Amino acid sequence: MTINPVRNFAFQGRQKGISNGVNLEMSNNLIIKESHYYYFQRLNSNNLVAVFSDRSLDLGFHNNPQMKGNRKRLLDDLAIDYQDLVCMKQPHNNQVKRAEVSDKGHGALDYESALDTFDALITNEKNLALAILTADCLPIFFFDPEHNAIGLCHAGWRPTKGKIAANTINKMKEELNTRPEDLIVGFGPCICKDCYEVGKEFKNYFSDGLIEKEEKFYLDLIKLNRIQLQEAGVRTDNIIGSSFCTSCHNDEFFSYRKEKTFCGRMISLIMLK
């Protein structure tokens, strides 16, 4: 894949930009918009693809007769065979799997073939496209440039409670020789702390990242996962954060909280080339 930043809309620093009529604020590093997806300039290179899609294509499994065609359309733009995707059933736990070449195609064409029991994938295999599907949960991208290894995790509140980000790093350390201080980590779009209202029982789950205002409780997925990353040894300047809220910018991203049953799904994808 060759991406030309000159013809894309870019976001830098704490500035705001307009994409399809939506104000989007970036926290650091350059994130650039293509036709159906965004990519991290710092992560994408001649040997790595790391992107997340917008809502122009529903890429989810359920109630979606256009799934295969939409996946093909997006993946063709990235010069990746959509039939080679590696997807999980994402049961909202904290389990991490090392993906192998034999996993290629699992979940690419149907939910039944997706990998069971996992919410995160890691690999050092080339041309193995790891993917997760989200519509409010936080996608987290991991890249180890020293050992040419990658990871991707689905950090909703349950996986976050189970320390999915820390587990992904530990799995990369154990199996791929990753050092946390070498990792570059990117956050995709998720529901923000001003929109993510939760029940008061969440006080039993989280000692941090919970905001109480006007007798309501709100959860900060970004803060909680940033803390996990930093406690695991990731350098603060190696965390590429975005302020893309799926609920605030529902005309740009899918949001289950706003759309409920008929909500589509965005895809987050990472692959070594």
Side-chain angles (χ1 to χ4, degrees):
M1 177 186 63
T2 301
I3 300 175
N4 179 9
V6 174
R7 61 187 178 87
N8 295 303
F9 199 95
F11 306 90
Q12 180 75 59
R14 296 294 300 180
Q15 299 174 348
K16 289 187 177 181
I18 304 293
S19 175
N20 298 331
V22 180
N23 285 319
L24 301 173
E25 183 178 351
M26 301 312 305
S27 56
N28 61 21
N29 292 278
L30 197 63
I31 296 181
I32 295 176
K33 177 72 186 289
E34 274 280 355
S35 55
H36 302 293
Y37 61 88
Y38 294 81
Y39 72 90
F40 302 92
Q41 188 182 53
R42 187 175 175 191
L43 288 177
N44 283 266
S45 63
N46 290 330
N47 67 342
L48 182 69
V49 179
V51 306
F52 56 86
S53 65
D54 62 17
R55 68 170 295 134
S56 61
L57 297 173
D58 179 4
L59 300 161
F61 289 112
H62 304 298
N63 303 312
N64 184 13
Q66 306 301 317
M67 181 197 77
K68 293 179 184 178
N70 287 348
R71 290 187 179 187
K72 185 178 189 304
R73 184 176 177 185
L74 175 68
L75 274 291
D76 280 353
D77 285 350
L78 300 170
I80 298 171
D81 187 339
Y82 79 104
Q83 299 180 86
D84 289 343
L85 278 176
V86 182
C87 301
M88 302 169 286
K89 291 185 177 177
Q90 298 175 205
H92 295 270
N93 65 28
N94 64 354
Q95 300 302 302
V96 185
K97 175 181 171 57
R98 179 175 179 175
E100 306 285 359
V101 173
S102 59
D103 295 313
K104 186 176 287 190
H106 280 264
L109 304 180
D110 56 67
Y111 178 77
E112 289 70 27
S113 68
L115 298 172
D116 283 320
T117 71
F118 301 103
D119 276 82
L121 295 169
I122 66 168
T123 195
N124 59 359
E125 298 285 353
K126 292 184 178 180
N127 300 310
L128 193 60
L130 312 182
I132 60 172
L133 300 165
T134 61
D136 278 335
C137 295
L138 173 65
I140 307 179
F141 299 76
F142 300 82
F143 177 47
D144 174 1
E146 297 301 318
H147 297 91
N148 212 31
I150 55 174
L152 186 65
C153 80
H154 163 243
W157 77 261
R158 288 183 181 87
T160 296
K161 177 176 176 286
K163 299 192 180 299
I164 187 77
N167 288 358
T168 303
I169 293 173
N170 287 335
K171 189 79 166 179
M172 293 182 75
K173 287 168 61 177
E174 293 168 4
E175 301 208 11
L176 305 176
N177 298 312
T178 290
R179 296 174 300 188
E181 61 269 25
D182 293 331
L183 279 170
I184 302 171
V185 181
F187 290 156
C190 73
I191 191 167
C192 75
K193 60 183 175 61
D194 296 320
C195 297
Y196 194 11
E197 184 180 350
V198 296
K200 63 180 180 180
E201 70 274 12
F202 275 64
K203 292 192 293 184
N204 300 321
Y205 307 151
F206 299 99
S207 58
D208 207 341
L210 197 61
I211 302 153
E212 184 176 0
K213 54 185 177 182
E214 298 178 354
E215 299 183 351
K216 294 181 179 180
F217 295 89
Y218 299 84
L219 193 66
D220 190 341
L221 287 174
I222 293 286
K223 179 179 181 179
L224 288 165
N225 283 281
R226 188 181 291 273
I227 289 171
Q228 279 188 46
L229 295 171
Q230 292 169 335
E231 289 181 345
V234 178
R235 290 170 42 189
T236 300
D237 60 350
N238 276 349
I239 301 174
I240 307 171
S242 85
S243 298
F244 287 173
C245 173
T246 48
S247 182
C248 293
H249 303 303
N250 187 216
D251 48 352
E252 181 74 0
F253 303 106
F254 291 115
S255 172
Y256 182 80
R257 277 297 179 103
K258 282 206 166 180
E259 300 170 69
K260 304 300 182 186
T261 305
F262 299 104
C263 178
R265 295 295 186 272
M266 289 95 63
I267 201 167
S268 293
L269 179 149
I270 191 166
M271 186 186 80
L272 293 167
K273 294 189 293 183

